[in-house]
Amino acid sequence: MEHVHLAAEEDDLYSGYNDYNPTFDSEELDNDAGFQQAVRTSHGRRPPMTAKFPGTAIGGRALGTSFGSRMPMASSMGRPMTGAVQDGAARPMTAVRAAGYSSAMTRGSTFDPLGQSKGPAPPLEGKSEDTPDEKVKILEKKVNDLIEESCLAHGHGDLQLSLDRAKEAGRKERALVRQREQSGNADHINLDLTYSVLFNLATQYANNDMYAEALNTYQVIVKNKMFSNAGRLKVNMANIHFKQKNYPKAIKLYRMALDQISNSHKEMRIKIMQNIGVVFIRMGQYSDAITSFEHIMSECPNIKTGFNLILCYYAIGDRERMKKAFQKLICVPLGIDEEDKYIPPNDDTHANLVIEAIKNDKLHQMERERKALAEKFIMTSAKLIAPAIEATFAAGFDWCVDMVKSSQYVELANDLEINKAITYLRQRDFNQAVETLKTFEKKDSRVKSAAATNLSFLYFLEKDYDQADRYADLAMTADRYNPAALINKGNTVFVKKDYEKAAEFYKEALRNDSSCTEALYNLGLTYKRLGRLEESLDCFLKLHAILRNSAQVMWQLANLFEMLEDPHQAIEWLMQLITVTPTDPQVLAKLGELYDSEGDKSQAFQYYQESFRYFPSNIDVIEWLGAYYIDTQFCEKAIQYFERATLIQPTQVKWQLMVASCYRRSGNYQKALETYKDIHRKFPENVECLRFLVRLCTDMGMKEVQDYATKLKKVEKMKEIREQRVKSAREGSTRGTRREGSASSDSGHSSHGTSAKGERLSAKMRALPGSNEPYEASSQRDIDASYVDPLGAPMERPKTAAKKRNEDDDFADEELGDDLLPE
């Protein structure tokens, strides 16, 4: 305790705080020897000594520097001890304190060494976008985003949007170049970005058929020497000239592109040469095209080039080279795996799973498409050259079949034989076609079913329904899942009016092939015959969803709605129908009939008039138009229609009587009289004509009136006699049928003869005008009193001009026109 100095009472505990500390005097550092020594040596690397602050046991003494004169330390550690605090006053803080510890802990503050009570740290300061580099990066990102949006819009089919985005990307890219020039980085222009913008813009111009703009944009790229491999774009420019049918320019650009592509890019060069050959075909220069195609077939043969080469040989008529080209075509390797690869083994479960996974993947689908395309080209080539390579087309087909049988396309030989039969059909040699198809009866099931299906169809067209039914059964036996065979079987049952059974066959065909439109159409017709109109309507609505522009389907829908007493829907479907077939006179006449039934005479007149314009021989339309003009008091216009009806039906007296009556109503009595006289010469026993002649001669004071009156009396008397004979003949026939079987046979024969004669008279009388003649007596006074104008009352509305196809049309020709011949 002798080293502890207690503070005197008169000493100030807080004195010295306002004194200046020379440690922080930077101006005197140059004169401080200790500081200078520490700078020059490692002396200053030692931990600094604790400074003496006021308020310690050494009170009231001025502080010096760390290396100045110091008082001896009172403690053994060299650290001055603090003295006791008098009167319980708080101890003042020292100059250095431990982290997290303070005298405030005694006053209730929490322990927080990490400073978490101050809240979260402030956010990081973002990079400034005002710098030139940041502006350039932002513009580049916008340009790339616009190019991507343009490509995506084109992929979705929105060509206009893709063009707009491409144009906007071009504007942004030019702004980017200006930004680089302003910032002094013109040497660091992104050429790849500029190339992408221009190429995308040119492509979108071409997609929107803006060929001039596309060519200008491609020209900008090609002329810029800074773009590497820009010469390839001349292929695109040549394609545009090809679309514009500027073939010489296209060939020039193709050849320029070919010169700029090295031999290492063999596939690209082959495609360009193929384009050159196609352009030569379009120009009719087959020799030049053959040169290009032969080079391709020698270097890298493919199916399309082989087919084009055959076309060129066919165009110049070279038989031998056609044969050689066909042999090369069937020898072109397809580069696909065998179908046996996809047959799963029975013992390996893992292999079965793998094969099941790859059996219908994208690669296998591509292989099937490639094989189908090759088979299509081979079949087309064989059908094309078969009539040209030999003296007869049959010998040509036989040669093609032999070549195909020795190739990898063995299964096409049977299809070529069927096409041979179809060629016989086109030449109308039905016997040879039938004989050719009958040779397939002993072949495998698929070919046998196809041949029997075609034979059934042929016999059905010839209305030999028994043979058609026989071969339909044969086709079904060979392949029960053949929808064409089921349809033919249903057709043969349909003509026998077994509609329920026919519907079952059509349903089975639809179960085997849901896209079989013939079965669906025939099923709708069958339901209509059965009176199941709602089910028939459903069939045709489904068919309309598949065949949007089928005129027959629309007609059936309109007819069904008419049968369901919904004329508004029927009119709607007919309006859609005339957008597909605007010149169909029967559809227009049907529209006129429906509007007439709705009371809209003006619309009915418009469609009847259009129907007459396209088909001026429809007697029902002519009758309606003539009656319309008479109703509207335009008898002069009605004359031309009744005169045309007279030309169409010259043996029908009513049309000539209508012409004469129109002349009379229009005030042209002289022309009416001449017309009636002409009718009397042609039909001297026509009572109505004589009555009009008597009336007109009386009104005009002519001398011939007595002659016509006498003839009228004779004709009326003959008419009465005929009616009595017909009546007595009918009564005799009725009495004869009531006699017992034991009556004499002579009486029965006599009655039969009388009945036959009465029927002939009755048929002749039905050809005369009806019983409501305007004259009832033969005297002159009675004639004048009872005269009634036959045109005074409105005519009965004519029947529809369009025949009902579902009831009156020929079954095999229109209702079930199922073309089962292969493509």
Side-chain angles (χ1 to χ4, degrees), residues 303 307 326 329 368-384 409 412 415-416 419 823:
I303 291 292
F307 179 71
F326 185 77
L329 178 64
R368 286 200 297 262
E369 291 175 359
R370 183 180 295 179
K371 186 176 181 181
L373 182 64
E375 291 177 351
K376 177 184 176 183
F377 283 147
I378 291 172
M379 290 291 294
T380 306
S381 301
K383 290 187 288 185
L384 178 68
Y409 304 99
L412 293 182
D415 295 335
L416 282 174
N419 276 280
E823 292 292 337

Side-chain angles (χ1 to χ4, degrees), residues 1 5 128 135 137 148 228 238 250 252 343 406 450 489 499 514 549 614 658 702 709 729 747 767 782 822:
M1 291 297 290
H5 299 277
S128 176
K135 289 181 179 180
K137 289 181 180 180
E148 185 177 355
S228 60
K252 179 181 178 181
I343 299 176
S406 61
K489 180 64 177 178
Y499 302 125
S514 59
N549 296 322
Y614 290 118
M658 296 299 293
M702 300 180 67
S747 299
D782 292 337

Side-chain angles (χ1 to χ4, degrees), residues 201-212:
L201 181 60
T203 304
Q204 302 308 330
Y205 274 135
N207 292 334
N208 285 270
D209 296 337
M210 301 172 67
Y211 298 130

Side-chain angles (χ1 to χ4, degrees), residues 278-294:
V278 171
V279 176
F280 277 129
I281 290 177
R282 291 295 182 92
M283 297 175 66
Q285 300 179 13
Y286 300 111
S287 299
D288 296 331
I290 288 172
T291 303
S292 298
F293 292 142
E294 284 181 343

